[in-house]
Amino acid sequence: MFIAKWRTDTPDLAPATFLIFFFFSFFFPVGFAEPAPLRLVDGLTHCSGRVEVFYGQRWGTVCDDGWDLVEAEVVCKQLGCGQALSAPHGAYFGQGSGPIWLDDVSCTGTEAALSQCRDLSWGSHNCGHGEDAGVVCTGFAELLPVRLVNGSSNCAGRVEVFHKKQWGTVCDDSWDLTDAQVVCRQLGCGTAVSAPGSARFGQGTGQIWLDDVNCAGAETILHECRAKPWGDHNCNHGEDAGVECSGVTEPPPIRLVNGLNRCAGRVEVFHEQQWGTICDDDWDTAEASVVCRQLGCGAALSAPGSAHFGQGPDPIWLDNVNCAGNEAALSECKAQPWGSHNCKHGEDAGVVCSDVPRIAPLRLVNGTNRCSGRVEVFYGQQWGTVCDDYWDISNAEVVCRQLGCGRALSIAASAYFGEGSGPIWLDDVNCTGSENALSKCKTTLWGVHNCRHGEDAGVVCLGVPEPAPIRLVNGSNICSGRVEVFHEQQWGTVCDDSWDLTDAQVVCRQLGCGTAVSAPGSARFGQGTRQIWLDDVNCAGAENALSDCQARSWGEHNCNHGEDAGVVCSGVTEPPPIRLVNGLNRCAGRVEVFHEQQWGTICDDDWDTAEASVVCRQLGCGAALSAPGSAHFGQGPDPIWLDNVNCAGNEAALSECKAQPWGSHNCKHGEDAGVVCSGTPEVPPVRLVNGPTRCAGRVEVLHSQQWGTICDDSWDLRDAAVVCQQLGCGMAMSAPGSAYFGQGFGRIWLDDVKCSGKESALSECTARPWGVHNCNHGEDAGIVCSGNLHPCLVLLGISRY
């Protein structure tokens, strides 16, 4: 009894309890006979926060060494907070103070309390408070999923319950309106209208899970009601039970009037097509909190009465409003009937909110990594989904930004990542795209929707923040000009202070424009307008993007547009053409290469099948059968262009291989090299350009010895899947078009590509003839494959969610 008292009244230990506590602490320092009390501090709810444990008459923290979801499960279980959602490290919920009681905690997950886990040595650690462990729990004991099927809405239909990973029905024996009311409550569907039996909504299949259900009516979930054991019944599916609920009605609108901003003022509510006020009887911060929540205005600061914001007009709609404080809308609180009051407008209630809404946590579920999946938002101590009504790329951009997952690549609707369970929290989300959190976008009220989980919204993000886009303007081609960078939705220039060839090299690399030739300043390519975004740029030279280089803060400079920086890059040259001469067909003969407007031969020094393979690939002539030298196909004319050619064998063109400089050799034409190819065209090579890794980027294909792009007409996930497979890059995650990875140049080789998804190479898919299209490079197709996991994510161990 003493120990039980100590556990419930920990902070104020009675003298007798203290002696017993001291006895256990002194003589049994390695642990507790009873579980050590826990608490979660500084979280959004009582079921999330920094983990603290009570020992030696003091609260202390837990070090995050070895801390993972297994330990978090034990904490959530001990606190009655449902399942563990995450186990954040690094003092995610702020640093604690006082002792660090536990380190290297190792639980199996079956323990009832954290103090029952192994390897506990109280107070022994090698940590600082920057390593304090945290936990986020679901906040409730997990509810048994229930759904209504085959009805006219998501609030009517055959009752089905999920058990042992399988949906099954409920028998209508003893089924009545009281049982139906529990179902409607659990689904957030208002009140029960009817409880039809006899398979009114069609017969189900599979298991009949429940029979003789007998609810008292106050239960919050169906499985709290009395019933036969799971699967024990004497029914058939002709007796499947159903429910019709009233559905969810929109809460009456409210507004705040006469305040300094939209989040302060006299409270008015809209009823029977008329705005009216609320009497201040019993009005306090609990009611104000609900008003602020409903309006998305943050926390309640005060709840002034006595017409603090002026007297409103008739009518006075509500009196004696009594909220618990956690309701989603004021209409959910208890009150006198509409229009019933004993007040005057001198008692009109008001509210002052903080106007800083708390950001609701997000997660992506069932995707290939942490940056793709079904969108779920944490609200009311529970994770729930988002309906796909009006779900678009602007909404997805906000989700990706909030999660630190870079740009949005695509949206997914119709439960593409599987159906969620529990509440559907948001519907009709309408983001501008500039918000830093989804909960700051316009939307319906929390929990108000007309959807089912078959409409759960999803997102695919790039996975890493994208570098700021750049372009070269006013040059002679796309690889020369004034440097401009895109930031905060507008293009701006770069100041030439400290601008040099090293900085220019990064620009050329980012644009895929070869090497830097020069780095002119003083607005060599004309003066830009509007913002000067960067100054004192200082690149090391190895960066992949200009925004990775050191520089002043965005927009901070001491320049004018007469100092705009420019770049001249070498550009990307197409490989020199080659041909095979004097053979039986176009895929066999003496190798000749075109350089300086003249065909010439290649010397056979070091010439073998590796080099021959590259020639055959470049010509689309299949595999190399042999690489004869000694002018096997006859001696060619001068010049001899190449000697000592050395290929790895996987190059796309002969000009990518190592060799002596053009025209430098020690050979005669009696050593001219030849090739015999199989003549079966090899699969045209594909590559991905301008992405963060080799498995994401603009799709380019090699044809007629030239790389070219693919038009995004009809481009979809099935086409992307073939490219990912061909490149050995795993699954296709998205297929962005509109030159998402930047515009290519040169040829557009393919248009109207249509793959079934089963092809082994893109060239096996149907498409228009090579080079026939109605596109420009603003329509270049791209892909993102699952094999594009960023090294940082791999190192952090979060390459899979």
Side-chain angles (χ1 to χ4, degrees):
M1 292 297 292
F2 283 110
I3 291 176
K5 177 179 180 182
W6 166 71
R7 291 185 66 214
T8 56
D9 300 319
T10 301
D12 300 306
L13 299 175
T17 310
F18 170 78
L19 291 175
I20 292 178
F21 178 83
F22 178 80
F23 175 82
F24 275 99
S25 300
F26 187 82
F27 290 101
F28 301 94
V30 295
F32 278 78
E34 290 291 318
L38 287 181
R39 67 182 182 188
L40 299 178
V41 179
D42 285 344
L44 285 171
T45 70
H46 79 285
C47 287
S48 65
R50 180 176 63 252
V51 181
E52 296 193 355
V53 59
F54 195 76
Y55 178 78
Q57 306 177 55
R58 296 180 68 186
W59 288 102
T61 62
V62 178
C63 182
D64 62 13
D65 293 344
W67 188 256
D68 61 22
L69 213 56
V70 178
E71 287 71 41
E73 281 284 359
V74 176
V75 171
C76 296
K77 184 190 305 174
Q78 182 175 348
L79 292 173
C81 280
Q83 288 194 330
L85 295 176
S86 64
H89 289 207
Y92 180 85
F93 292 103
Q95 296 187 23
S97 58
I100 297 173
W101 279 131
L102 297 176
D103 189 15
D104 296 317
V105 178
S106 177
C107 304
T108 64
T110 59
E111 298 86 352
L114 191 68
S115 55
Q116 295 174 357
C117 297
R118 294 173 297 169
D119 302 328
L120 298 188
S121 181
W122 295 93
S124 175
H125 65 87
N126 59 352
C127 308
H129 281 296
E131 300 170 78
D132 286 345
V135 160
V136 178
C137 312
T138 56
F140 55 94
E142 183 136 22
L143 308 183
L144 187 75
V146 63
R147 67 183 182 185
L148 298 178
V149 179
N150 278 358
S152 58
S153 71
N154 63 335
C155 289
R158 180 176 65 249
V159 182
E160 294 192 355
V161 64
F162 195 72
H163 179 65
K164 289 187 177 179
K165 300 183 177 181
Q166 187 176 357
W167 288 101
T169 61
V170 177
C171 183
D172 62 7
D173 294 345
S174 306
W175 187 255
D176 59 20
L177 209 61
T178 306
D179 309 317
Q181 182 58 52
V182 175
V183 172
C184 295
R185 180 182 299 120
Q186 182 173 352
L187 291 173
C189 279
T191 58
V193 175
S194 66
S198 303
R200 162 84 173 275
F201 294 100
Q203 295 187 23
T205 58
Q207 294 285 345
I208 298 174
W209 279 130
L210 294 175
D211 190 15
D212 293 326
V213 176
N214 185 7
C215 301
E219 299 87 351
T220 57
I221 50 179
L222 189 65
H223 88 283
E224 292 176 356
C225 301
R226 294 182 179 179
K228 286 188 178 183
W230 289 99
D232 183 3
H233 65 87
N234 59 356
C235 307
N236 59 60
H237 283 296
E239 301 170 76
D240 285 344
V243 161
E244 288 183 306
C245 309
S246 62
V248 179
T249 56
E250 284 277 349
I254 59 173
R255 67 183 181 185
L256 299 178
V257 180
N258 278 359
L260 290 174
N261 55 51
R262 73 175 190 91
C263 290
R266 179 178 65 249
V267 184
E268 294 190 357
V269 60
F270 194 72
H271 179 65
E272 293 183 354
Q273 306 304 309
Q274 191 176 3
W275 289 101
T277 63
I278 298 176
C279 183
D280 63 7
D281 294 343
D282 302 321
W283 188 258
D284 61 21
T285 52
E287 289 70 44
S289 293
V290 176
V291 170
C292 295
R293 178 180 301 114
Q294 184 172 348
L295 291 172
C297 280
L301 299 180
S302 62
S306 304
H308 179 82
F309 291 101
Q311 296 186 23
D314 281 334
I316 297 174
W317 276 132
L318 294 175
D319 190 17
N320 298 123
V321 179
N322 184 6
C323 304
N326 58 3
E327 295 86 353
L330 195 66
S331 56
E332 297 177 9
C333 302
K334 296 178 180 178
Q336 295 287 341
W338 289 97
S340 174
H341 64 87
N342 59 356
C343 306
K344 297 181 179 179
H345 282 294
E347 302 170 75
D348 284 346
V351 161
V352 178
C353 309
S354 66
D355 195 21
V356 183
R358 175 173 278 173
I359 292 176
L362 287 182
R363 67 181 183 185
L364 298 179
V365 180
N366 277 359
T368 55
N369 57 46
R370 73 174 192 93
C371 289
S372 66
R374 181 176 64 248
V375 182
E376 295 195 354
V377 60
F378 193 72
Y379 178 77
Q381 305 183 38
Q382 190 173 358
W383 287 101
T385 62
V386 178
C387 183
D388 62 11
D389 293 345
Y390 303 111
W391 189 251
D392 61 20
I393 200 71
S394 296
N395 304 328
E397 283 284 1
V398 175
V399 171
C400 296
R401 180 183 301 119
Q402 181 175 348
L403 293 172
C405 282
R407 289 281 304 276
L409 293 178
S410 64
I411 60 170
S414 303
Y416 180 84
F417 291 102
E419 295 187 15
S421 57
I424 297 173
W425 278 133
L426 296 176
D427 190 15
D428 297 329
V429 177
N430 184 9
C431 303
T432 65
S434 61
E435 298 86 352
N436 62 4
L438 191 68
S439 53
K440 292 188 177 180
C441 299
K442 292 181 180 179
T443 179
T444 58
L445 295 172
W446 289 93
V448 177
H449 63 88
N450 60 353
C451 307
R452 298 183 180 184
H453 281 297
E455 300 170 76
D456 286 344
V459 160
V460 178
C461 309
L462 178 61
V464 288
E466 188 180 279
I470 59 174
R471 66 183 182 185
L472 298 179
V473 179
N474 279 357
S476 58
N477 56 49
I478 62 166
C479 290
S480 66
R482 179 177 64 248
V483 182
E484 295 193 354
V485 61
F486 195 72
H487 179 66
E488 291 186 354
Q489 306 304 309
Q490 65 175 309
W491 290 100
T493 62
V494 178
C495 182
D496 62 7
D497 294 345
S498 306
W499 187 255
D500 59 20
L501 210 60
T502 307
D503 309 318
Q505 181 58 53
V506 175
V507 171
C508 295
R509 179 183 300 117
Q510 183 173 351
L511 291 173
C513 278
T515 58
V517 175
S518 64
S522 303
R524 161 85 173 275
F525 294 101
Q527 296 187 22
T529 57
R530 305 183 73 175
Q531 292 287 346
I532 297 175
W533 277 131
L534 294 175
D535 190 15
D536 293 324
V537 176
N538 185 11
C539 301
E543 297 87 352
N544 289 316
L546 190 66
S547 54
D548 294 336
C549 300
Q550 292 182 350
R552 290 193 186 189
S553 301
W554 289 98
E556 181 185 328
H557 64 87
N558 58 357
C559 306
N560 59 59
H561 282 296
E563 301 170 76
D564 286 344
V567 161
V568 177
C569 308
S570 63
V572 178
T573 55
E574 291 296 332
I578 59 173
R579 66 184 181 185
L580 298 179
V581 179
N582 279 356
L584 291 174
N585 56 50
R586 75 174 191 90
C587 290
R590 180 177 64 248
V591 184
E592 294 189 358
V593 60
F594 194 74
H595 179 66
E596 292 183 356
Q597 306 304 309
Q598 191 175 5
W599 288 101
T601 63
I602 298 176
C603 182
D604 64 7
D605 294 342
D606 301 320
W607 188 258
D608 62 19
T609 52
E611 290 71 44
S613 292
V614 176
V615 170
C616 295
R617 178 180 300 114
Q618 185 172 348
L619 291 172
C621 280
L625 299 180
S626 63
S630 304
H632 179 83
F633 292 101
Q635 296 186 21
D638 282 334
I640 298 174
W641 275 133
L642 294 175
D643 190 15
N644 298 123
V645 178
N646 184 5
C647 302
N650 56 4
E651 294 85 353
L654 195 66
S655 56
E656 296 177 11
C657 303
K658 296 178 181 178
Q660 295 287 340
W662 288 97
S664 173
H665 64 88
N666 60 355
C667 307
K668 297 180 180 180
H669 282 294
E671 301 170 74
D672 285 346
V675 162
V676 178
C677 308
S678 66
T680 304
E682 191 178 66
V683 172
V686 293
R687 67 182 181 185
L688 301 179
V689 180
N690 273 4
T693 71
R694 76 174 190 89
C695 290
R698 180 176 66 248
V699 184
E700 295 192 354
V701 60
L702 187 75
H703 179 69
S704 293
Q705 307 180 40
Q706 188 176 356
W707 288 101
T709 62
I710 298 176
C711 183
D712 63 8
D713 294 344
S714 305
W715 187 253
D716 61 21
L717 213 57
R718 286 172 296 187
D719 309 319
V722 174
V723 176
C724 292
Q725 178 180 311
Q726 183 173 349
L727 291 172
C729 280
M731 294 171 52
M733 292 174 59
S734 66
S738 304
Y740 184 87
F741 291 103
Q743 295 187 24
F745 49 93
R747 300 298 298 266
I748 297 175
W749 278 132
L750 294 175
D751 190 15
D752 294 323
V753 176
K754 189 174 183 183
C755 304
S756 68
K758 299 178 181 178
E759 297 85 353
S760 59
L762 190 66
S763 55
E764 297 175 8
C765 302
T766 60
R768 290 192 183 191
W770 289 96
V772 177
H773 65 86
N774 60 354
C775 306
N776 60 57
H777 282 296
E779 301 171 76
D780 285 344
I783 67 167
V784 176
C785 310
S786 62
N788 74 321
L789 299 177
H790 194 274
C792 293
L793 300 182
V794 175
L795 289 172
L796 290 171
I798 53 176
S799 60
R800 292 279 177 184
Y801 183 74

